[in-house]
Amino acid sequence: MDIQELRTRNPDHWMRATAIRALALDAVAAANSGHSGMPIGMADVATVLYSKHLNFDASRPDWADRDRFILSAGHGSMLLYSLLYLCGDPEITLDEVKNFRQLGAKTAGHPENFLAKAIETTTGPLGQGIANSVGFAIAEESLRARFGKKLIDHNTYVIAGDGCLMEGVSQEALGLAGRYELGHLIVFWDNNDITIDGKVSLSDRTDQVARFKASGWHVQEIDGHDPEAIDAAIVEAKKTSQPSMIACKTHIALGHAAQDTSKGHGALTNADQNDAAKAAWGWTSGAFDIPAEIKTWWEEVGARGAAEREAWETRFAETSAARQKEFTRVMDGEAPKKLSAVVKALKKQVSETAPKVATRKASEMALEVINPIMPETIGGSADLTGSNNTLTGDLGVFDTDNRKGRYIYFGIREHGMASAMNGMGLHGGVRPYGGTFMAFTDYARPAMRLAALMKTPTVFVMTHDSIGLGEDGPTHQPVEHVAISRATPNTLVFRPADAVETAEAWEIALRQTATPSVLSLTRQGLPTVRLEHKNANLVEKGAYVLAEAEGKRQAILMATGSEVAIALAARDLLQAEGIGTRVVSMPCWELFEAQDESYRRRVLPPAGPVRVAVEAGVRMGWDRWLCGERGSAKKSGFVGMESFGASAPAEVLYDHFGITAEAVAEKVKSLL
Amino acid sequence: MDIQELRTRNPDHWMRATAIRALALDAVAAANSGHSGMPIGMADVATVLYSKHLNFDASRPDWADRDRFILSAGHGSMLLYSLLYLCGDPEITLDEVKNFRQLGAKTAGHPENFLAKAIETTTGPLGQGIANSVGFAIAEESLRARFGKKLIDHNTYVIAGDGCLMEGVSQEALGLAGRYELGHLIVFWDNNDITIDGKVSLSDRTDQVARFKASGWHVQEIDGHDPEAIDAAIVEAKKTSQPSMIACKTHIALGHAAQDTSKGHGALTNADQNDAAKAAWGWTSGAFDIPAEIKTWWEEVGARGAAEREAWETRFAETSAARQKEFTRVMDGEAPKKLSAVVKALKKQVSETAPKVATRKASEMALEVINPIMPETIGGSADLTGSNNTLTGDLGVFDTDNRKGRYIYFGIREHGMASAMNGMGLHGGVRPYGGTFMAFTDYARPAMRLAALMKTPTVFVMTHDSIGLGEDGPTHQPVEHVAISRATPNTLVFRPADAVETAEAWEIALRQTATPSVLSLTRQGLPTVRLEHKNANLVEKGAYVLAEAEGKRQAILMATGSEVAIALAARDLLQAEGIGTRVVSMPCWELFEAQDESYRRRVLPPAGPVRVAVEAGVRMGWDRWLCGERGSAKKSGFVGMESFGASAPAEVLYDHFGITAEAVAEKVKSLL
C-alpha cells in the first residue's frame, strides 16, 4: 500500500482517520497490551461511517433512536474508544483512553457494554457482535412497527473481522438476517486476510461474498481505505431492503512495519517502529495529542446528530402521554404493574384445579396470561416450538410482511437465537425469550454467559430438563446443565416444581433488568404441589418449606423441579414410619443465597436433622446445601445422576437410575 | 410424488429400499416414539450407497479400512439400525430393532457409538456428525499418508439434514473440509424442506448449493428417490479431489399421510395411516417381517465387502511385523511404552532446574518430548497457536500437499475443531489434541460433552485459564469453566500447578482410551513447586500432600494450578506464626474421587484442621472437599472468584479480587 498516495489523495480525511490510528497505537503501547492493527486498518471506514452516516449525538449516547454501532471484532476496542473520545462522548475521556486496559477504566481490553452508555454490546468472543446485531435489527423492526417511524427508524452498523466470519454462529446470524430481510443491518467486513496464526488462507478459503449472497444478503466489495468508495457503498447499502455486507479490503496495521502480518494483529509496542509508522502517516503530534483542528472536526461529527435528536424529542413530546409513557416503560425494561395480578390469578386457579402438567406446559400457561399484558415480549424457539411451548395465541409471527409479529422461528440455531435475544435486550424496548432443549444450552453457552456478563435480562426457556424426557436418550438428556447454569455468575436458574412455581419464576424473570434467567422445565407431567394459594411469590425466596415435618423433625429433603414430587412421596413413606420429614423446594439457589442468614437458617436449620437432596442431575454444587450451610457431612446424602442417561421411557429411567421416593427414603434411613 | 411410478420404475430397488421404510415405521410405532419420516425419505439413497458403494463387511464392523458411514441426522436412527440389521450386522439383531428405544437396547433413540461397533459416532445434537466427519476424513488422509494406500484408503459418507446445515458448526466443518480439500468426504444432504416447526423456508432461505460451493465443495443436485441418479452422483463424487455434497431432493415420510409435513418428521404411530402407507408402498409383509428374498439380497450387500476385507488382511499380513505392530498399536489407541520414560526424564530435569514457566509453556515442553515418540498425535489450535503452545518443532503442518503433517490450523473454529478432533479419535489411529482459551470451552461445549459421552479420549488444551490472563478482561477470563468441565461426567479435568504436574497430566491424558481430558493451563508464569523428583506420577492420585505441616497440623490448604504457589506462600505466612499448615495440590478431582477411602482420608484427614481451598474460579463444587469429605462447615473457607473478572494486569487482578497468600492466611486464622 502506498501510504503517500493515501495521504495526498484526500489529506483531510487521511489526518482525521489517522487520529484514530495514532490513539490506538499510543494506548496499546502505553498498556503494553491490546490490538493495534485492526483500528489502524479500519480507521477509514469508521471515519466515513461516523462523519457521514451514523446518526448519533455523542453527548446523548442513550438517545433511543440513535443508529447502533457494534464492534464485533471486539479486540479492536481502541477503534471504538478513539471514536468516542474524539467525538466528545462524556464517558470516554482522554484519561480513560490513557488508562486503556487498566483496573477501573471504562476502556477495558474488550468493549464492555456496562462500562459506558455508548458501548452497545460486549464483544471479544468472536462472532457474538454480528449475531447480537441481528437482534438489534429485529428489535428495531419490531419497535418501528409498533411505535412508528417517527419514534424508531435507525440502522445497525457492524464491523466484523475474519474471525467473526469463521465462527459458526456467524452463519446462524447470516441465515436469520437473510431470512427476515433485515434491511437496516449493515455489516462491514474487515477483509484484511490476517488471523493470529497467519494468512486467512492458512485455515480458510471460503468465498465470503458468495457465502453472504447465498443467504440473501446484498454485497459490495470496496477498497476499505478509499473514503469515496466507503461513502458510496454505505449510501447503496442503506437503500436496499436486504441486509447488507460491505467487504472492505484493508491492510491491517497500515503503514506500520507489521502491516499485513499476523504480528500486526496484536500489540505493536516497539517504539521505533511506532515512530516510523507515525512518520509514514504524516502524524507529528505527541502521544495522545490530537491537533485542535482535528479534534474540533471530530467534535462536530459528534454533535452532527444533535439536531436530529432534538427533532426526535420534539416528535416524542408531540405523541400522546400514554404513548410516551409506554415507550419509556418498555425502553427502561420495566414490567407492567398488571404483571403481579395476572400471575396471582393464574396461581390461584392452578392451586384450585391442581392440574398435572409438564412445567413446559405450565410455562405456556404463564405466557398465555403474560404476553397479552406485556406487548414488549418477543418469543421464539430454535425449531422446537411445539416442544418448548413458547408460542401463545396472540403473538403473531414476526415476518417480512408482519413486523408486528412477536414470535420468531429461529430455526435450528440455538447459538444464533441466544445471541440475537441478547441483542434485542441490549437494544431495549423489547423483552426476548426463547426456547430449546436444556441439553442444548451447550450450543447457546457462549451467548448465555455473555447475557450474564452484559447484564441483559434474556430469558432462556430450556425444556426437557432431565432423563425425564425419556427415549431420546443421553444426547438429549441434560445431567450437568443445571449445574453449568448455576456455576455462571449473575444468572438466575429456576427449576420450578409445578405450574404455580413456574408462574412465579416467570414473574421474577420478567422483573429483572440486569440478570438473565434460565427456566429449566420438564417434558413430563408433574402434579401440582402448591395446593394452597398464597399471594406471596415463594420462588422469590429461592427455597422454602413446602411441607413441614409432623412430629419430631428428623430429616430435611431438598429438591427442585420434577423431583419435588418425589421428595413429597418420600416424605409420605418416612412419615408413615414415624420419621418427621420436612420438604424444602429449592427452585432458585441464587435467590436463596441472597436471603438473609436468619431466613436461610429457618429453612435449613443447623445440624440435627438428616439432609438428603434429590435432583435428576449431577451432585456438583449440592454439598453447599447438604453440609456447607451448617449441615453435616456424616448426615447428608444425595440422590441423583452420576453418569449420562440412557434411552428408555422416563419412568423406566427414574427406576433404573434410582431416583425414586423409595430410594430417597432409604437414603434418609441409612443416615439416621 | 407418484409412489406408483417409483414402484414400477425400478421395482427391485423399490422393495429393497422399502424394507428400510417398513422397519422404521414398525419400530417407531412399537416404541411409540422416534422419527419415522427421515428413514423413509432417505431409504433410496441409503440403499444405493450400501449396495453399490460403501466398502464394508457387515460381519466385521471393526475392519480398519472400512468406509465410514455417519448419520449426522441422528434422529433418523432407524435408518441406520435397519441397514445394519438387514445387512446382517452381528450386534443389531431383529430383537434389537424390535426393542428400539428401550432400556439396554443397542438401538437407542439416537445412534450411540459405544453400543455397537458399526455405529461410528454418536449423533442427535445436530451438526455434530458432519463436523465429526471432517475429523474422520482428516484421520484417513493422515493414516493413508503414514501407512500407505494398501492399508488405508477409504471414504467417509455422511447423511445430513436441514438441521445439521442450519447449525453454525456445519459452517466450520464446511470451511475446514473445503480448505483441506478432503476429497474422501461425501455428504448427502437430505433436502426435504421440512423442519420440526414447518417448512425450512419458515426460518431459512439459504441457497445451500451456493454456500457449499463458496467453501470449495463439489456439489451435485439430484432426485433423492432415483437410484440411477444417486448412483451416478456417488460415482462422480468419488472422482473429485474436493469434498463432495450431493443435494438429494427427497420427500420426508414418502407415501405416508404425513409426507412433506413437519408431522412426518416425528413418530408416525397412527396404525391406519401406517397401514395405508405400506399399502401405497406395495409392502404386504407383517410388522418387522422382511421377505426372505429381500433379506437375502441385503445380506449379500452386507457380505459384499468380505473379499475386499480379506484382501486387505492379506496385504496387512504381508507388511513387516514392526509395521503391523505399530498399526495395531495406534488403531487400539495404546500409548507407546516409552511414554513413561520421556515424561520421567522431563520431570527430573524440571525439578532440578525449577524453571518459572506458564503451564501452557510447560505443556509445550511436555509435547516436545512426547510428540517425537508418539507419531499418532495430531495437534492443532483454533487460531491461537502461539498462545496455546500446541505446535512443536517436529510435527509439520497438515496441508493439501503434506498429509503427513501433524499440526492443523483449525482457524477461528473452536466448535468445529473439537468436533473434528472427536471424529479423528473415533476413526482411530490418530490421537488428537487441540487448543483454545479456557473461556472458549463455551464454544466447544457441545463437542466436549459428546467426547465424554462417546468415550473418545480427545485432549482439550485450554490455556489462559483464569483472571491471570490479565488485560483481555472478563470476556476472556474463565471463572466458571473449570467447574463446567468438572460437572461433566467421564471427563478428566487437570489443572496442574507447574511443569512437573503438567507433564504428569499429559501422560495420564495420553493413556486414556475412553475418557477425554481437559488441560486447564495458565498464561502467566508459575514457579516450580515439585522440587523433589519422584518417579511416581503424583497427579495420578488426583490430589496429594505437596507440603506437610510443621508442628501440629492446624490447617489444610487445598489448591489447583496457579493457586498452588499462593497456597504455599500462605503456608509460609502461617507457619511463621506457628500455625502448622499442610498444602494439598488437587490437580484432578476426578482421579482423587477414584482413590480408595483410606488414601483420601490420609490426604484430607477427618475434622480437626481448618480447611481452606483457593482457586481463581467459582466455589461451585469445592464444598464437596471442604466439608462434604469428612470436613466441617464451620471450619472451612474458600478464596476465589464470586463474579466475572475485569480488565487489568494479572497481578492487579489477583490483588483486586483478593486471591493472595495474605487473604488465604487471614481466612485460616479467622476459622481457627
Side-chain angles (χ1 to χ4, degrees), chain B residues 265-584:
Chain B
H265 170 91
L268 301 176
T269 54
N270 179 302
D272 291 340
Q273 288 182 352
N274 289 357
D275 287 347
K278 286 186 182 174
W281 297 338
W283 189 260
T284 53
S285 310
F288 297 109
D289 185 25
I290 307 296
E293 184 196 6
I294 293 175
K295 184 70 169 81
T296 303
W297 181 85
W298 272 108
E299 282 170 9
E300 282 164 12
V301 168
R304 198 172 47 83
E308 267 287 2
R309 192 254 308 160
E310 282 159 15
W312 181 90
E313 280 166 357
T314 305
R315 292 197 298 276
F316 184 72
E318 283 164 5
T319 60
S320 72
R323 207 164 172 74
Q324 284 185 39
K325 200 174 154 192
E326 176 66 0
F327 185 85
T328 304
R329 181 185 72 78
V330 297
M331 291 305 290
D332 289 351
E334 193 188 306
K337 295 215 169 53
K338 274 188 219 164
L339 179 59
S340 280
V342 300
V343 167
K344 273 177 203 155
L346 173 62
K347 281 166 56 179
K348 190 155 188 290
Q349 181 211 317
V350 169
S351 290
E352 284 167 7
T353 56
K356 184 181 174 179
V357 290
T359 46
R360 63 182 170 130
K361 177 68 186 171
S363 169
E364 183 185 322
M365 289 159 61
L367 288 170
E368 287 284 8
V369 301
I370 291 167
N371 278 335
I373 63 149
M374 289 188 75
E376 67 268 38
T377 57
I378 292 189
S381 166
D383 198 46
L384 290 168
T385 295
S387 298
N388 300 143
N389 298 68
T390 36
L391 176 59
T392 60
D394 58 317
L395 286 182
V397 174
F398 180 84
D399 209 335
T400 50
D401 58 358
N402 183 24
R403 298 306 200 189
K404 286 191 176 173
R406 289 161 54 201
Y407 193 78
I408 298 174
Y409 287 108
F410 282 105
I412 300 112
R413 304 181 177 106
E414 300 82 7
H415 194 177
M417 172 178 76
S419 287
M421 289 200 293
N422 288 348
M424 289 182 222
L426 292 166
H427 180 283
V430 297
R431 195 174 260 282
Y433 70 85
T436 184
F437 288 161
M438 186 72 182
F440 301 150
T441 54
D442 281 354
Y443 282 82
R445 252 305 288 177
M448 291 175 74
R449 178 179 210 246
L450 278 167
L453 176 60
M454 298 195 295
K455 307 180 186 178
T456 183
T458 311
V459 182
F460 300 98
V461 182
M462 301 312 205
T463 71
H464 296 57
D465 74 343
S466 76
I467 52 167
L469 66 85
E471 293 89 342
D472 272 346
T475 53
H476 286 53
Q477 290 161 357
V479 296
E480 71 274 42
H481 299 83
V482 171
I484 287 172
S485 293
R486 286 175 182 152
T488 309
N490 192 37
T491 301
L492 294 178
V493 185
F494 296 98
R495 195 159 184 264
D498 70 359
V500 173
E501 283 195 1
T502 305
E504 291 179 340
W506 263 112
E507 182 182 353
I508 298 164
L510 292 173
R511 288 201 185 286
Q512 300 306 309
T513 54
T515 302
S517 297
V518 178
L519 301 185
S520 171
L521 305 171
T522 67
R523 175 190 187 219
Q524 73 272 30
L526 302 179
T528 299
V529 297
R530 285 274 294 280
L531 296 167
E532 185 193 340
H533 175 65
K534 290 212 165 86
N535 273 327
N537 185 323
L538 300 188
V539 171
E540 222 156 39
K541 297 281 191 189
Y544 61 94
V545 179
L546 176 64
E548 191 44 285
E550 290 169 26
K552 189 193 167 204
R553 187 196 307 133
Q554 295 186 64
I556 299 177
L557 303 179
M558 294 177 269
T560 72
S562 39
E563 285 67 66
V564 171
I566 290 174
L568 288 170
R571 177 180 175 278
D572 289 346
L573 295 174
L574 291 164
Q575 290 284 167
E577 299 190 39
I579 302 168
T581 304
R582 165 185 284 191
V583 172
V584 172

Side-chain angles (χ1 to χ4, degrees), chain A residues 101 109-110 126 167-168 172 179 195 197 201 203-204 207 214-215 383 385 413-414 443 449 472 480 647, chain B residues 101 109-110 126 167-168 172 179 195 197 201 204 206-207 214-215 383 385 413-414 443 449 472 474 480 647:
Chain A
R101 294 186 152 229
H110 293 82
L126 293 173
E167 291 287 359
E172 301 184 20
R179 167 60 186 82
T195 74
D197 276 354
S201 56
S203 56
D204 194 41
D207 177 345
S215 284
D383 198 46
T385 294
R413 304 181 178 106
E414 300 82 8
Y443 282 81
R449 178 180 209 244
D472 273 346
E480 72 274 43
S647 174
Chain B
R101 292 186 152 228
H110 294 82
L126 293 173
E167 292 287 0
E172 302 184 21
R179 166 60 186 83
T195 74
D197 276 354
S201 57
D204 193 42
T206 296
D207 177 345
S215 284
D383 198 46
T385 295
R413 304 181 177 106
E414 300 82 7
Y443 282 82
R449 178 179 210 246
D472 272 346
E480 71 274 42
S647 173

Side-chain angles (χ1 to χ4, degrees), chain A residues 296-351:
Chain A
T296 303
W297 181 85
W298 271 108
E299 281 169 10
E300 283 164 10
V301 168
R304 197 171 48 82
E308 265 287 4
R309 193 253 308 158
E310 281 159 17
W312 182 89
E313 280 166 358
T314 304
R315 291 197 299 276
F316 184 72
E318 285 164 5
T319 61
S320 72
R323 208 164 171 73
Q324 283 184 40
K325 201 175 154 192
E326 176 66 0
F327 185 85
T328 304
R329 183 186 70 78
V330 298
M331 290 306 290
D332 289 352
E334 195 187 304
K337 294 211 170 54
K338 274 188 222 163
L339 180 58
S340 280
V342 300
V343 168
K344 272 177 205 156
L346 174 62
K347 281 166 55 179
K348 190 155 186 292
Q349 181 210 319
V350 168
S351 291

Side-chain angles (χ1 to χ4, degrees), chain A residues 31 33 35 101-103 108-110 112 122-128 162-163 166-169 171-172 175 179-181 195-197 201-207 210-211 214-215 381 383-386 409-415 440 442-443 445-446 449-450 452-453 471-481 483-484 486-490 589 618 620-621 623-624 627-628 630-631 633 642-644 646-649 652-653 656, chain B residues 31 33 35 101-103 108-110 112 122-128 163 166-169 171-172 175 179-181 195-197 201-207 210-211 214-215 381 383-386 409-415 439-440 442-443 445-446 449-450 452-453 471-481 483-484 486-490 589 618 620-621 623-624 627-628 630-631 633 642-644 646-649 652-653 656:
Chain A
S33 105
H35 301 80
R101 294 186 152 229
Q102 304 310 306
L103 191 66
H110 293 82
E112 290 167 20
T122 294
T123 50
L126 293 173
Q128 294 300 326
D162 292 295
M166 260 194 256
E167 291 287 359
V169 70
Q171 183 63 28
E172 301 184 20
R179 167 60 186 82
Y180 290 110
E181 297 178 23
T195 74
I196 292 175
D197 276 354
S201 56
L202 193 66
S203 56
D204 194 41
R205 290 184 184 155
T206 295
D207 177 345
R211 179 183 161 216
S215 284
S381 165
D383 198 46
L384 290 167
T385 294
Y409 287 108
F410 282 105
I412 300 111
R413 304 181 178 106
E414 300 82 8
H415 193 178
F440 301 150
D442 281 354
Y443 282 81
R445 251 302 291 176
R449 178 180 209 244
L450 278 167
L453 176 60
E471 294 89 341
D472 273 346
T475 53
H476 287 52
Q477 291 161 355
V479 296
E480 72 274 43
H481 299 84
I484 286 172
R486 287 176 181 152
T488 308
N490 192 39
W589 286 11
V618 296
M620 170 80 83
D623 289 85
R624 163 75 196 269
C627 47
R630 294 171 301 276
E642 291 181 358
S643 66
F644 294 110
S647 174
V652 176
L653 291 175
H656 176 71
Chain B
S33 106
H35 302 81
R101 292 186 152 228
Q102 304 310 307
L103 190 66
H110 294 82
E112 292 167 19
T122 294
T123 50
L126 293 173
Q128 294 300 325
M166 261 195 256
E167 292 287 0
V169 70
Q171 182 63 28
E172 302 184 21
R179 166 60 186 83
Y180 292 110
E181 297 178 23
T195 74
I196 291 174
D197 276 354
S201 57
L202 193 66
S203 56
D204 193 42
R205 291 184 181 155
T206 296
D207 177 345
R211 179 184 162 215
S215 284
S381 166
D383 198 46
L384 290 168
T385 295
Y409 287 108
F410 282 105
I412 300 112
R413 304 181 177 106
E414 300 82 7
H415 194 177
F440 301 150
D442 281 354
Y443 282 82
R445 252 305 288 177
R449 178 179 210 246
L450 278 167
L453 176 60
E471 293 89 342
D472 272 346
T475 53
H476 286 53
Q477 290 161 357
V479 296
E480 71 274 42
H481 299 83
I484 287 172
R486 286 175 182 152
T488 309
N490 192 37
W589 287 12
V618 296
M620 170 80 83
D623 288 85
R624 162 77 197 265
C627 45
R630 293 172 303 276
E642 292 182 356
S643 67
F644 293 111
S647 173
V652 175
L653 292 175
H656 176 71

Side-chain angles (χ1 to χ4, degrees), chain B residues 126-148:
Chain B
L126 293 173
Q128 294 300 325
I130 190 171
N132 289 162
S133 76
V134 170
F136 275 88
I138 288 173
E140 194 268 344
E141 292 281 359
S142 175
L143 291 168
R144 181 150 36 89
R146 183 174 177 206
F147 290 101

Side-chain angles (χ1 to χ4, degrees), chain B residues 112-272:
Chain B
E112 292 167 19
N113 65 300
F114 47 91
L115 295 180
K117 291 193 190 73
I119 303 174
E120 303 285 358
T121 180
T122 294
T123 50
L126 293 173
Q128 294 300 325
I130 190 171
N132 289 162
S133 76
V134 170
F136 275 88
I138 288 173
E140 194 268 344
E141 292 281 359
S142 175
L143 291 168
R144 181 150 36 89
R146 183 174 177 206
F147 290 101
K149 277 192 174 191
K150 287 187 180 171
L151 290 192
I152 291 287
D153 188 13
H154 56 262
N155 292 310
T156 301
Y157 294 97
V158 181
I159 289 181
D162 292 297
C164 294
L165 301 196
M166 261 195 256
E167 292 287 0
V169 70
S170 69
Q171 182 63 28
E172 302 184 21
L174 255 67
L176 282 168
R179 166 60 186 83
Y180 292 110
E181 297 178 23
L182 302 175
H184 284 210
L185 176 60
I186 298 172
V187 174
F188 302 94
W189 167 34
D190 178 14
N191 178 15
N192 62 31
D193 197 26
I194 290 296
T195 74
I196 291 174
D197 276 354
K199 290 265 178 206
V200 167
S201 57
L202 193 66
S203 56
D204 193 42
R205 291 184 181 155
T206 296
D207 177 345
Q208 298 291 1
V209 168
R211 179 184 162 215
F212 275 77
K213 282 183 180 166
S215 284
W217 285 58
H218 175 265
V219 184
Q220 301 172 76
E221 295 179 82
I222 61 166
D223 171 358
H225 300 299
D226 177 347
E228 281 77 30
I230 298 163
D231 182 39
I234 301 174
V235 168
E236 203 57 40
K238 284 155 86 171
K239 283 185 199 158
T240 71
S241 61
Q242 296 164 279
S244 222
M245 191 274 264
I246 303 173
C248 308
K249 191 85 209 68
T250 62
H251 296 272
I252 198 166
L254 178 75
H256 192 279
Q259 180 185 317
D260 299 329
T261 69
S262 53
K263 191 175 176 306
H265 170 91
L268 301 176
T269 54
N270 179 302
D272 291 340

